[in-house]
Amino acid sequence: MPPQPHIVGVHLVFEQAGCLLLQQRSPDAAFGPDAWHLPAGHLDEDESAEACAVREAGEELGVLIDPQDLRLVHVLHYRQHTGATPRLQLFYRVLDHRGTPKICEPDCCAALGWHAAASLPSPLVDYAAVALTAIAANHPSTTMGWGA
């Protein structure tokens, strides 16, 4: 049996004084319209996960991150439904960055804000909620959507 291809997503976990930085997806977004989500993107061809995180931080938020300031804190093996292309979702804690996060892609992001980790906004992208709960409990990995 040939190996199954996966899409790799890279997510940025910015924390500040007990709050997490979240973006509200645009109402016209193809994925998760109006839902809150971590800044994230997909791995490009010939790009490392850390390079993707650095690129997405610049493109989406206008901030600079040194790859040394990223820590992989969670891996979520996710499948939206049976038959869907599975995804490996990588979550990186951002230890330091330069610049103030702002909306740089208004066609994708309707709002940006810091939210208390104990009371995150709704709706929150389902797999992001699962990952953030696992990160808070120091669980390095989870699976979602694979059945029992």
Side-chain angles (χ1 to χ4, degrees):
M1 176 179 253
Q4 186 174 26
H6 282 66
I7 296 170
V8 178
V10 176
H11 302 73
L12 299 164
V13 182
F14 286 83
E15 295 174 294
Q16 176 179 292
C19 294
L20 298 171
L21 183 66
L22 298 174
Q23 298 176 316
Q24 186 176 33
R25 311 259 315 144
S26 163
D28 299 324
F31 168 76
D34 291 319
W36 290 90
H37 194 33
L38 294 161
H42 296 109
L43 203 63
D44 285 346
E45 190 175 334
D46 288 332
E47 180 179 50
S48 72
E50 291 82 6
C52 177
V54 169
R55 175 180 56 78
E56 290 293 345
E59 289 176 1
E60 291 191 15
L61 303 171
V63 300
L64 299 172
I65 297 175
D66 186 315
Q68 294 180 27
D69 290 323
L70 295 169
R71 294 294 178 273
L72 181 64
V73 292
H74 194 73
V75 176
L76 176 73
H77 196 198
Y78 175 68
R79 185 172 65 173
Q80 190 171 12
H81 55 77
T82 302
T85 301
R87 297 172 180 258
L88 279 177
Q89 306 288 21
L90 307 176
F91 294 80
Y92 285 90
R93 179 170 284 127
V94 179
L95 303 178
D96 195 18
H97 65 279
R98 289 176 301 287
T100 301
K102 61 184 180 282
I103 297 172
C104 294
E105 296 179 331
D107 55 321
C108 298
C109 177
L112 178 70
W114 293 95
H115 299 271
S119 59
L120 296 175
S122 181
L124 184 63
V125 168
D126 60 352
Y127 75 80
V130 167
L132 289 171
T133 299
I135 291 167
N138 292 314
H139 294 294
S141 66
T142 53
T143 59
M144 183 177 172
W146 292 94

